[in-house]
Amino acid sequence: MNTTVRKATLEDLPTLSEFMQHLVEAERPMDPCIKDGEISYYSIPDFIQGDLSEVYVATIKDEIVASG
């Protein structure tokens, strides 16, 4: 498998938002303060477009499999 790493774009938002919701679901049982429903810890678009931040995605066969 060849993994490619590239800067995220706004077109990646649906997948990145899905990743964040999976993270929230994993953390929710350990933190009773996390409300039910969709939660956003931060603005992914702001990080993608920001001058002081970068978001990267790892892809395999053009499918995003990781982000950071």
Side-chain angles (χ1 to χ4, degrees):
M1 273 187 276
N2 289 332
T3 304
T4 302
V5 176
R6 63 170 173 78
K7 283 188 178 183
T9 68
L10 293 178
E11 292 177 7
D12 300 323
L13 279 175
T15 301
L16 296 173
S17 294
E18 182 180 342
F19 284 2
M20 185 179 336
Q21 291 313 303
H22 287 296
L23 177 64
V24 169
E25 289 172 21
E27 293 177 345
R28 190 172 272 131
M30 297 174 279
D31 186 346
C33 295
I34 300 175
K35 298 177 184 177
D36 290 336
E38 190 169 313
I39 301 289
S40 292
Y41 290 145
Y42 44 81
S43 172
I44 299 170
D46 286 350
F47 282 160
I48 290 173
Q49 296 174 317
D51 292 333
L52 300 176
S53 59
E54 293 183 344
V55 178
Y56 289 88
V57 295
T59 63
I60 297 175
K61 295 184 181 179
D62 295 324
E63 179 181 353
I64 299 173
V65 296
S67 65

